[in-house]
Amino acid sequence: MSKLYLAQFRIGRKEALRHRLVSAYELHKLLWNCFPGRPEAKRDFLFRCDEEEAAQKILMLSETKPEVCDWAEWDGIKEFDPVFPIGSLYCFRLRANPTIRAKEDGKLRAVTREEELHSWLVRKAEKNGFALRSEPEYSGCRLERFSKTPGGPGISLNVVEIGGALAVTDSAAFGEAFRRGIGRGRAFGCGMLLLKRIEL
C-alpha cells in the first residue's frame, strides 16, 4: 500500500464566513484548494469536520500531500504507510451516511433505526475486511440537506456517529476501506475511519 498523508488544521469563524462555509459541499470545494493544479483529478481525500467553540477542526486523509493554505491554522501533516495485519484490534470511530436502496422503487433511503444501523454496519464490515469486537454505539443522528447550486437539486446526508472495537480479517480489503472510506457521502465529510490500536 502506498503512503498516505494525514493533515490536521482549524478554520476559524472569520475565515468560515469569508468562504461561506454553510454546507459540507462548500467545505469540500475549499479543501480542494489544498491540491492545486489538478482540475481533472478525481477526489482522493477523505475529511472529517468537528465543530469547536471558535473554529472547525478538520482531519484530512489524502493520497497526495496537501499544500498549506493561509485560510487555516495548520497543526501538522503526517506522512505514514498504513499496515493492518490480520487479527489486529482497533477502537474505531466512524461518521457515516447509512443508506439502503428500497426494493420497491430502487431509491435510496436513510437508515435510522438501531437494528437497521447494526445490519448496515455488519454488511460493511464483511465487505471491508473487518469484524466487530464490541457492541457498537450509535449517536448524533441528524439529517443534513444542501444543494450544489442555488435552486439546484437537493443532497441529503443521514449523518450518524458510530463507535466500537473491530478486528482486521482481510488486510488488503481493510486497507482499501481505510484509504477510500466507508459508505456514501464521502465527498461531504463522511466515511473516514478513525482508529486507535488496542494492545493486548
Side-chain angles (χ1 to χ4, degrees):
M1 180 179 292
S2 58
K3 292 184 177 180
L4 295 174
Y5 298 88
L6 181 65
Q8 180 172 309
F9 51 93
R10 288 170 171 80
I11 304 174
R13 298 298 183 201
K14 184 176 180 180
E15 288 294 332
L17 289 171
R18 186 165 76 89
H19 290 280
R20 300 178 181 177
L21 300 184
V22 295
S23 72
Y25 176 67
E26 296 301 328
L27 178 56
H28 172 81
K29 287 200 303 182
L30 181 64
L31 296 182
W32 256 122
N33 293 324
C34 298
F35 308 97
R38 307 167 62 215
E40 303 303 322
K42 292 184 178 180
R43 175 190 54 79
D44 62 356
F45 67 90
L46 300 170
F47 73 92
R48 177 187 172 104
C49 176
D50 290 294
E51 294 288 339
E52 296 185 338
E53 185 175 347
Q56 295 178 344
K57 177 184 174 182
I58 309 295
L59 285 173
M60 185 167 66
L61 184 70
S62 60
E63 298 180 4
T64 304
K65 186 176 182 179
E67 288 194 7
V68 173
C69 298
D70 60 6
W71 38 259
E73 297 178 7
W74 291 72
D75 297 324
I77 301 172
K78 176 184 177 182
E79 181 182 359
F80 67 109
D81 189 3
V83 178
F84 303 107
I86 291 177
S88 52
L89 302 173
Y90 296 90
C91 291
F92 76 91
R93 290 170 58 201
L94 171 66
R95 178 171 294 160
N97 173 38
T99 58
I100 190 170
R101 195 169 295 280
K103 294 180 180 179
E104 305 79 36
D105 54 14
K107 293 182 179 180
L108 289 173
R109 68 172 181 84
V111 175
T112 56
R113 293 192 302 148
E114 186 164 324
E115 56 267 33
E116 289 185 323
L117 286 170
H118 189 71
S119 296
W120 177 88
L121 183 59
V122 168
R123 290 195 301 273
K124 293 301 179 184
E126 292 173 349
K127 180 181 178 181
N128 291 290
F130 66 95
L132 300 174
R133 286 294 180 262
S134 70
E135 192 67 27
E137 295 183 358
Y138 306 94
S139 62
C141 299
R142 67 184 188 276
L143 188 64
E144 296 183 6
R145 298 182 187 276
F146 54 90
S147 60
K148 293 183 178 181
T149 57
I155 297 172
S156 295
L157 292 181
N158 170 42
V159 182
V160 180
E161 299 285 348
I162 306 173
L166 61 81
V168 177
T169 57
D170 183 320
S171 296
F174 187 76
E176 189 69 10
F178 180 77
R179 176 184 297 270
R180 304 295 182 192
I182 293 176
R184 298 179 182 273
R186 287 169 285 177
F188 307 119
C190 295
M192 182 178 173
L193 272 171
L194 303 184
L195 301 173
K196 182 178 181 180
R197 185 72 180 264
I198 300 174
E199 301 291 349
L200 299 179

